[in-house]
Amino acid sequence: GQSLEQPSEVTAVEGAIVQINCTYQTSGFYGLSWYQQHDGGAPTFLSYNALDGLEETGRFSSFLSRSDSYGYLLLQELQMKDSASYFCAVSNFNKFYFGSGTKLNVKP
Amino acid sequence: EAGVTQFPSHSVIEKGQTVTLRCDPISGHDNLYWYRRVMGKEIKFLLHFVKESKQDESGMPNNRFLAERTGGTYSTLKVQPAELEDSGVYFCASSRSYGDGYEQYFGPGTRLTVT
């Protein structure tokens, strides 16, 4: 079977750095994606890692270790607008498995 | 470029009734996915179309669910007859071409409540 684990909720203050971890067990693996979803909205794509290492996109970075079946999303210089749910997703070619999401609360 | 649209945004039906959800993907996107999220749980894969063909429907819960994608454009997901456990938010997503599916564009979802 497939399983992804990520923390259910994380709280941080504005301006801080937060890391959201994701561990996975899947029968096939092409890459790890991250999506952001604001309440009531559509999930939006943030990043994708197919190879080990760190990918940086502005204030957001994503890391993957295939040998450890582990990845994380790093959010720097947190802003109030970053309050949202964050989902990791493992892709097996064109099939995707999502985690349950991590609700990030950013406080002033 | 218009995004993925879904209709209706909300639907409340009684157990045993039929509901049809519609998804219009981004124009030119060959891949179309359906997902469901039950409150607090994962976004669960239901099925995947490549153009008008079902590539993978292993996530469909049972034969009460029927998905179609006419002419490789919009898609419908019919639930007949609906059961209480079918409640949740149904998302549709599209991506450009086969093998390039990792960046998916999601619609806003249809919140289905079965009473």
Side-chain angles (χ1 to χ4, degrees), chain B:
Chain B
E1 167 177 84
V4 177
T5 58
Q6 293 186 243
F7 182 83
S9 56
H10 294 83
S11 180
V12 181
I13 61 171
E14 293 183 355
K15 177 181 171 180
Q17 290 186 320
T18 297
V19 64
T20 299
L21 314 181
R22 174 171 170 141
C23 168
D24 286 79
I26 292 172
S27 178
H29 279 195
D30 290 343
N31 291 311
L32 188 148
Y33 304 83
W34 281 99
Y35 296 92
R36 177 173 72 182
R37 187 177 191 215
V38 174
M39 189 182 298
K41 296 195 182 279
E42 75 273 20
I43 299 174
K44 187 173 182 295
F45 169 87
L46 296 179
L47 88 158
H48 167 219
F49 284 99
V50 177
K51 297 185 180 178
E52 68 275 9
S53 300
K54 289 177 187 172
Q55 184 68 24
D56 185 337
E57 54 183 330
S58 60
M60 294 285 262
N62 50 60
N63 58 10
R64 295 186 293 103
F65 288 73
L66 175 65
E68 294 180 328
R69 189 179 183 192
T70 306
T73 56
Y74 71 92
S75 175
T76 58
L77 180 64
K78 181 191 285 189
V79 185
Q80 178 182 32
E83 298 288 344
L84 298 179
E85 64 265 24
D86 301 333
S87 295
V89 180
Y90 289 77
F91 289 104
C92 172
S94 71
S95 65
R96 206 170 294 274
S97 56
Y98 194 59
D100 187 30
Y102 65 84
E103 182 172 357
Q104 299 178 58
Y105 296 82
F106 278 76
T110 293
R111 182 175 297 277
L112 175 65
T113 303
V114 183
T115 62

Side-chain angles (χ1 to χ4, degrees), chain A residues 9 14 18 23-24 39 44 48 57 74 80-81 86 89 108:
Chain A
E9 193 164 355
E14 213 173 357
V18 73
T23 57
Y24 58 88
D39 280 347
T44 56
Y48 174 73
T57 309
L74 189 74
M80 298 299 291
K81 68 179 182 179
Y86 293 83

